[in-house]
Amino acid sequence: MTALEQQVSHAIRPFTVSFRKRALDDLRHRLAATRWPSRELVGDRSQGVQLATIRALGQYWATGYDLGRVQSRLNALPQFTTAIDGVSIHFVHVKSKHADALPLIMTHGWPGSIIEMLDSIGPLTDPTAHGGTAGDAFHLVLPSLPGYGFSSEPAEVGWDLVRTARAWAELMNRLGYDRYVAQGGDVGAGVTDAIGRLGPEGLVGIHTNLLVPALNDPSSLPNTTEEERAALAAIKVFQTTGNGYFVEMATRPQTIGYALLDSPAALAAWMIDHDTDAYDKITSAFVDGKPSGGLTRDHILDDITTYWLTGIGASTARSYWEAYGPDAPAAGRPLLPDPRVPVGFSTFPGEIWRTPRSWAEKAYPTLNYFGVAARGGHFAAWEEPELFAEEVRAAFRPLR
């Protein structure tokens, strides 16, 4: 490849979201034509998403929600694309007005997207307007995972967490950042864990709010204290009664993908059936009109609408097959060494399990921050953006 060809292939191009009217009209038509199942035969969510919840969501989506919100929210931000390893990566890049801001690449998960992080942009890039100081500022990079949102779908297998982490290192290099930190939750925690273990040049620290090693091999962690036993019990409950979506996407992503591309109601039900805390809060927002923090009806539908209009039901499911499927190398571990950089971790009370500090210390010998948040759950940046930003600031403050 010549120098000119390399320059063209590495180009960073501005991006604007534009949804066609016929796509919006088709969504409305499909919502109106939804074939609903009969009501569940139990009084809780043990059979899955409850009919009252999904019908309330569908009704608001069809008649009360502004389908132009996603386009407007994203186009108010600086967006770009660049091709890395055969995939067009979409990202939001917001530079702080503070010259000494620390570059931060932050990764979303499933069923999230960069939508779940939008309300944390202000607190992270402009901390003086949100109770922080200029010394807390970040230049923020929010990439869409391959096959998610406005990033293109991989055309070949092999896009596991480690390959994504390498792509993120390349992205930060292209942006000219020679010193940066990384953060992630859910699948994004796996990517962030992997980039910490890879230790690319320029990375000086990571922070996560989901202890990925605990999900991979909980039996390897201490279980002597009451707190540790409670966390193990919560993981067992999740693995036996709450991870149906995980198993299906990790083993048969193409099968579920057909439904997710054909029915917006099916897509919505699949996406909100993630964990009990998040499901209860989503139900409260739609059925009772009582949102939890930033987890409002509009914010929830911004994310689901993004999935529908970009047609990523199957490709996002395949990302679980790549990362956690039968042939996945334990999400990059134990093939990779312990992280080579300082690690920060924050636990939120509504998480699938409450991570004890002892677990974080065992998983990460370089742990240098452990935070216990007062509110929030699995989607912490989405639900409690201000509190989430405080945790991120505190975790990376020693590295400035």
Side-chain angles (χ1 to χ4, degrees):
M1 181 182 293
T2 67
L4 179 59
E5 288 172 333
Q6 185 179 50
Q7 184 179 0
V8 171
S9 68
H10 290 187
I12 295 174
R13 299 178 173 85
F15 180 83
T16 301
V17 175
S18 180
F19 294 126
R20 296 181 178 180
K21 181 179 181 298
R22 67 183 183 186
L24 304 182
D25 291 341
D26 176 69
L27 171 56
R28 293 188 182 95
H29 171 75
R30 288 173 184 262
L31 286 169
T34 299
R35 296 176 62 189
W36 300 105
S38 58
R39 183 186 179 279
E40 63 281 355
L41 302 179
V42 293
D44 55 26
R45 67 179 289 254
S46 60
Q47 289 190 339
V49 172
Q50 294 158 295
L51 183 61
T53 297
I54 194 62
R55 292 206 70 156
L57 183 154
Q59 177 67 23
Y60 185 71
W61 198 2
T63 62
Y65 173 73
D66 177 7
L67 292 179
R69 270 179 56 92
V70 170
Q71 183 168 307
S72 297
R73 292 187 75 193
L74 288 177
N75 287 343
L77 299 167
Q79 300 174 84
F80 305 89
T81 60
T82 188
I84 301 177
D85 199 7
V87 171
S88 176
I89 299 297
H90 165 263
F91 62 99
V92 168
H93 185 197
V94 182
K95 292 187 177 181
S96 173
K97 65 181 180 182
H98 301 291
D100 295 329
L102 179 63
L104 165 63
I105 184 165
M106 205 155 71
T107 312
H108 65 84
W110 184 93
S113 62
I114 60 171
I115 293 293
E116 67 183 283
M117 298 174 169
L118 296 187
D119 286 341
S120 65
I121 292 175
L124 290 171
T125 61
D126 188 15
T128 55
H130 297 269
T133 67
D136 288 324
F138 295 94
H139 296 310
L140 195 58
V141 179
L142 303 177
S144 297
L145 288 164
Y148 284 69
F150 303 93
S151 288
S152 65
E153 297 183 14
E156 61 182 8
V157 298
W159 272 93
D160 59 10
L161 301 177
V162 174
R163 188 168 176 178
T164 303
R166 290 195 175 102
W168 280 192
E170 171 62 19
L171 174 59
M172 296 303 275
N173 179 62
R174 288 189 192 178
L175 292 174
Y177 291 134
D178 57 9
R179 189 176 189 277
Y180 64 93
V181 292
Q183 197 285 329
D186 193 78
V187 174
V191 174
T192 303
D193 175 275
I195 200 171
R197 294 173 188 275
L198 289 170
E201 184 177 357
L203 181 73
V204 297
I206 66 172
H207 171 269
T208 78
N209 48 290
L210 179 71
L211 193 69
V212 178
L215 187 59
N216 291 337
D217 186 15
S219 63
S220 67
L221 297 167
N223 63 349
T224 57
T225 70
E226 182 177 345
E227 183 184 23
E228 291 165 351
R229 288 192 292 270
L232 280 172
I235 293 176
K236 183 177 181 180
V237 168
F238 174 72
Q239 292 179 329
T240 55
T241 66
N243 70 339
Y245 73 90
F246 190 108
V247 173
E248 179 71 13
M249 295 198 298
T251 58
R252 289 293 186 272
Q254 194 71 13
T255 302
I256 190 61
Y258 298 119
L260 303 183
L261 267 293
D262 191 60
S263 166
L267 175 69
W270 189 254
M271 291 175 67
I272 69 174
D273 196 14
H274 183 274
D275 67 273
T276 299
D277 180 75
Y279 174 81
D280 287 346
K281 290 168 179 173
I282 291 169
T283 294
S284 180
F286 283 100
V287 176
D288 304 322
K290 298 178 181 178
S292 177
L295 211 57
T296 67
R297 294 187 300 177
D298 285 337
H299 283 144
I300 294 162
L301 284 174
D302 286 345
D303 186 54
I304 298 173
T305 301
T306 298
Y307 271 63
W308 177 261
L309 293 176
T310 55
I312 57 174
S315 59
T316 55
R318 286 196 292 267
S319 75
Y320 268 61
W321 184 89
E322 294 279 13
Y324 310 110
D327 298 324
R333 294 163 298 276
L335 302 181
L336 296 177
D338 288 334
R340 310 172 188 183
V341 296
V343 176
F345 184 84
S346 297
T347 180
F348 289 80
E351 185 54 271
I352 300 171
W353 70 89
R354 295 292 300 270
T355 295
R357 184 181 187 118
S358 60
W359 284 15
E361 290 173 338
K362 181 173 176 57
Y364 297 122
T366 55
L367 187 78
N368 75 329
Y369 176 81
F370 185 84
V372 180
R375 301 180 309 279
H378 185 77
F379 304 99
W382 205 2
E383 187 182 344
E384 298 288 347
E386 297 274 356
L387 186 56
F388 170 80
E390 290 177 11
E391 285 295 313
V392 174
R393 293 177 200 156
F396 291 130
R397 199 167 285 140
L399 306 183
R400 292 183 180 270

